[in-house]
Amino acid sequence: MDDLREVIAGAIAESDRNKESGVRMADLWGNESYRRTVTKHADAALAAIKQAGFVVVPAEPTEAMISAGLPIADLDSGHPEDIYRAMIEASNAPT
């Protein structure tokens, strides 16, 4: 999975437009100061997602996620919630 922080920062930059000059802020992506600014915005978005009780995981489970869930699923007493939590933990969801 792409570094989610970079994906979010890039989306912020792409959507940011200086209406007066017509310069797309994505064109400033190489500017270190601007890049730090949009990365801080991405960090804030990820923190808000986490604080709201959500995590962002890949659309398809990774091998690590499957490996984490299988031993619990194989137990007779494996509850879906436990399998889910093990897979989420193994997903490397941003924290």
Side-chain angles (χ1 to χ4, degrees):
M1 176 166 52
D2 289 329
D3 179 16
L4 185 57
R5 198 171 160 236
E6 287 289 316
V7 171
I8 293 171
I12 292 167
E14 188 62 36
S15 69
D16 199 3
R17 182 181 296 274
N18 182 325
K19 292 179 181 166
E20 292 175 16
S21 69
V23 172
R24 285 183 10 186
M25 294 303 150
D27 296 336
L28 299 175
W29 190 245
N31 177 300
E32 188 60 33
S33 176
Y34 181 72
R35 192 178 188 112
R36 276 194 307 271
T37 298
V38 294
T39 299
K40 284 181 187 178
H41 292 300
D43 288 340
L46 289 169
I49 290 167
K50 182 178 180 181
Q51 186 174 7
F54 295 97
V55 294
V56 180
V57 296
E60 296 295 325
T62 64
E63 286 299 318
M65 292 170 71
I66 293 168
S67 294
L70 276 177
I72 299 167
D74 286 342
L75 299 173
D76 286 338
S77 62
H79 296 288
E81 297 89 354
D82 296 332
I83 298 166
Y84 179 78
R85 286 185 191 103
M87 293 179 74
I88 294 294
E89 186 175 317
S91 73
N92 293 322
T95 58

